[in-house]
């Protein structure tokens, strides 16, 4: 997990986005934060970001996250972002990477429902998350579509469990 790709794509004198610090080892924390930023760039999309150590694992969701059980949405893995990005809202000036407006659409906390641990589950291409946001609530899965390249994942809202 590194911010190298994120930083290379941007000129921090020209964009108000945070530069970020070098990632430290992942801290063991039960409850971590997530954010979804509505990004009106060339194509409108929703950036879904999960705190992991000093960075945010990030996916771009063209149609937005699933809000109903059983719905699947394409989520394209993008470069790790700095942790401070979870508070970023603003305008990325024209001519810069991701030019357009960014607004926080939802935020809150999540817990991994681990198979092994975050790093291993991520590498295996299957994360199960319990999300507590204002708009997103409950269990979600992120599943890599291994036959469609490493970047293409699906975000799926789990069926509600019967009590
Ligand atoms: Mn974006």
């Amino acid at each position: 997990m590194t911010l190298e790709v994120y930083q290379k794509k941007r000129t921090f004198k020209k964009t108000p986005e945070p530069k970020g610090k070098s990632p430290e080892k992942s801290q063991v924390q039960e409850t971590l934060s997530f954010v979804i930023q509505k990004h009106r760039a060339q194509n409108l999309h929703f950036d879904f970001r999960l705190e992991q150590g000093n960075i945010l694992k990030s996916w771009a969701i063209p149609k937005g996250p699933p809000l109903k059980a059983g719905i699947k949405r394409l989520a394209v893995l993008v470069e790790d972002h700095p942790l401070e990005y979870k508070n970023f809202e603003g305008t990325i000036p024209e001519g810069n990477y991701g030019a357009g407006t960014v607004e926080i659409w939802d935020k809150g906390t999540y817990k991994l429902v681990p198979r092994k641990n975050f790093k291993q589950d991520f590498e295996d291409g299957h994360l199960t998350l319990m999300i507590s946001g204002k708009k997103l609530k409950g269990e979600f899965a992120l599943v890599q579509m291994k036959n469609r390249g490493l970047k293409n994942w699906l975000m799926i809202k789990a069926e509600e469990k019967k009590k």
Side-chain angles (χ1 to χ4, degrees), residues 114-129:
R115 284 172 178 69
K116 292 165 191 154
N117 54 56
F118 190 97
K119 188 172 181 284
Q120 193 61 52
D121 292 354
F122 176 82
E123 277 168 24
D124 293 343
H126 197 155
L127 294 166
T128 302
L129 312 166

Side-chain angles (χ1 to χ4, degrees), residues 39 45 47 49:
H39 188 180
H45 59 273
D47 289 303
R49 309 192 195 280

Side-chain angles (χ1 to χ4, degrees), residues 125-138:
H126 197 155
L127 294 166
T128 302
L129 312 166
M130 286 299 302
I131 296 182
S132 306
K134 291 226 167 79
K135 292 174 179 153
L136 290 196
K137 288 180 204 299

Side-chain angles (χ1 to χ4, degrees), residues 75-131:
V76 181
L77 186 68
V78 296
E79 73 270 24
D80 294 346
H81 276 52
L83 186 57
E84 305 95 290
Y85 210 96
K86 70 182 182 176
N87 299 314
F88 179 76
E89 290 190 295
T91 300
I92 302 168
E94 242 179 85
N96 290 277
Y97 181 73
T101 60
V102 175
E103 68 181 85
I104 293 173
W105 183 80
D106 196 14
K107 64 178 178 180
T109 59
Y110 80 95
K111 282 184 182 182
L112 178 74
V113 182
R115 284 172 178 69
K116 292 165 191 154
N117 54 56
F118 190 97
K119 188 172 181 284
Q120 193 61 52
D121 292 354
F122 176 82
E123 277 168 24
D124 293 343
H126 197 155
L127 294 166
T128 302
L129 312 166
M130 286 299 302
I131 296 182

